[in-house]
Amino acid sequence: MTQAESMSAMSKEMQDCVAACMECHSVCEETMSACMQRGGQAQMQIMRALMDCADMTRMCADMMMRRSSMSAEMCAMCAKACETCAEACMSMPDDPQLMRCAQACRRCVETCRAMAGMTM
């Protein structure tokens, strides 16, 4: 089964959640890279939150795509990691990349919370 066929078998809500998770994962990875390229002492709280969020969103999307029986629980955990990351990114409101990341995290929080309340 191709990824397109797999995605078409999912509900619209699940497709939206997978897409939000993958977008959030990508933006977190880009943000980590941007923070490292700037040099200097990166705030460890932000870097930890970015790493946790990137890992959780990727795992969450993977679990939904394979229809894991633990997807709802993973979505709840993913929402928590994304919320933490968004808050950490918001600690530097003058940084456009961190604000972009916070926005992607907030979108992922919304879709994951919705999925956590649904039977997969």
Side-chain angles (χ1 to χ4, degrees):
M1 181 180 287
T2 67
Q3 185 176 2
E5 291 169 333
S6 175
M7 290 293 284
S8 67
M10 289 186 208
S11 69
K12 172 81 167 96
E13 293 80 10
M14 191 179 287
Q15 289 177 32
D16 290 347
C17 191
V18 168
C21 284
M22 294 307 294
E23 174 66 16
C24 189
H25 169 78
S26 177
V27 174
C28 284
E29 291 287 342
E30 291 169 15
T31 303
M32 281 187 281
S33 179
C35 288
M36 288 187 280
Q37 287 177 355
R38 284 187 204 123
Q41 181 67 22
Q43 289 191 7
M44 292 309 295
Q45 179 185 0
I46 294 173
M47 290 300 287
R48 281 188 192 105
L50 287 165
M51 287 186 262
D52 288 350
C53 190
D55 287 346
M56 291 294 289
T57 52
R58 180 61 182 256
M59 185 182 300
C60 188
D62 288 349
M63 291 177 78
M64 283 187 285
M65 286 189 282
R66 68 175 169 257
R67 311 299 196 284
S68 171
S69 62
M70 296 180 287
S71 292
E73 292 89 346
M74 179 54 73
C75 283
M77 289 177 57
C78 187
K80 185 174 181 178
C82 289
E83 184 67 36
T84 299
C85 189
E87 289 173 13
C89 289
M90 294 297 292
S91 71
M92 298 184 71
D94 295 333
D95 186 305
Q97 181 64 38
L98 287 169
M99 292 303 96
R100 182 172 164 248
C101 189
Q103 183 178 29
C105 288
R106 297 271 188 230
R107 167 91 174 110
C108 195
V109 168
E110 291 174 21
T111 62
C112 281
R113 281 186 180 152
M115 290 306 297
M118 299 177 77
T119 302
M120 301 274 171

